[in-house]
Amino acid sequence: MSKFKIAVYADGASVDGMLEARDKWDVAGFTTNPSLMKKAGITDYVQFAKDALAAVNGLPLSFEVFSDDFEVMEEEAKKLAKLGDNVFVKIPITNSKGESSIPLIEKLSKSGVQINITAILTIEQVASVVKVLQQGTHNIISVFAGRVADTGIDPIPLMKQAVALTTQTPEAELLWASCREVLNIFQAQEIGVDIITVTNAVLKKLSMVGKDPKQLSLETVQGFHNDVEALGFSIL
């Protein structure tokens, strides 16, 4: 991972996966979310959080609130924050009704909670967040560049604008969320993004970085050939 200046965080909800990422790729931090937890079959959030914190060995780790109600969300955030000094509490930019989380973000920031503001997809949302972060706090602004790309829109202009805003805000680090491929790491690094979240599936592809395309072409053909033999099919 020394080839990257950008901080690479592993994204997932498997403690075993976190251990693999920590030991194999030397990542700088970790993130998770309810959707990943559902996929991983997590049934006890608090126990999962404690196990995850033990696994990451003091590195930054983001846990998301569950409630859709801002008052309950605040209590959840405070409980999660108490789990460790390396915990960042993920607060979605709105609730499921589309109501802004900015008042809660400002309140939590004033209380000293380290926040990871998530599900951001517009520059207006970034601007609204940086205005309420309190001096001396440490926070992450997660812009879902991958989901922007999924709509057919190039996320680079948005991320460049976000870099311009966050570099003027010492309290905020910009995170490129929903990384889809290794190329995204290089793109995010080139424009000055602070952090990128990467799944273990993408981290496993780092072994291909710098590989000669001609050699990769040959290995691809060899892979096809091996699969053909395994199938045992015959056209003629």
Side-chain angles (χ1 to χ4, degrees), residues 23-49:
D23 297 338
K24 187 179 293 186
W25 298 291
D26 191 28
V27 296
F30 299 82
T31 58
T32 188
N33 63 53
S35 296
L36 292 172
M37 291 174 64
K38 178 183 177 183
K39 185 177 181 180
I42 303 299
T43 57
D44 186 330
Y45 194 177
V46 174
Q47 187 59 51
F48 162 72

Side-chain angles (χ1 to χ4, degrees), residues 6-9 115-117 120 122-123 125-127 129-130 133 138-145 155-177 188-189 191-197:
I6 190 172
V8 176
Y9 282 20
I115 313 167
N116 179 338
I117 303 92
I120 291 176
T122 74
I123 195 62
Q125 290 173 329
V126 176
V129 170
V130 296
L133 298 178
H138 186 194
N139 309 279
I140 297 171
I141 296 179
S142 294
V143 180
F144 280 50
I156 297 297
L158 166 63
M159 297 308 292
K160 286 182 176 179
Q161 289 178 298
V163 167
L165 281 177
T166 55
T167 51
Q168 299 174 32
T169 309
E171 296 76 25
E173 288 189 286
L174 178 63
L175 184 151
W176 175 307
Q189 178 175 263
I191 63 176
V193 176
D194 300 300
I195 306 167
I196 185 166
T197 49

Side-chain angles (χ1 to χ4, degrees), residues 83-100:
L83 292 174
D85 294 337
N86 57 324
V87 170
F88 284 76
V89 179
K90 295 181 77 172
I91 303 291
I93 189 63
T94 71
N95 65 9
S96 68
K97 303 177 183 69
E99 299 165 336
S100 175

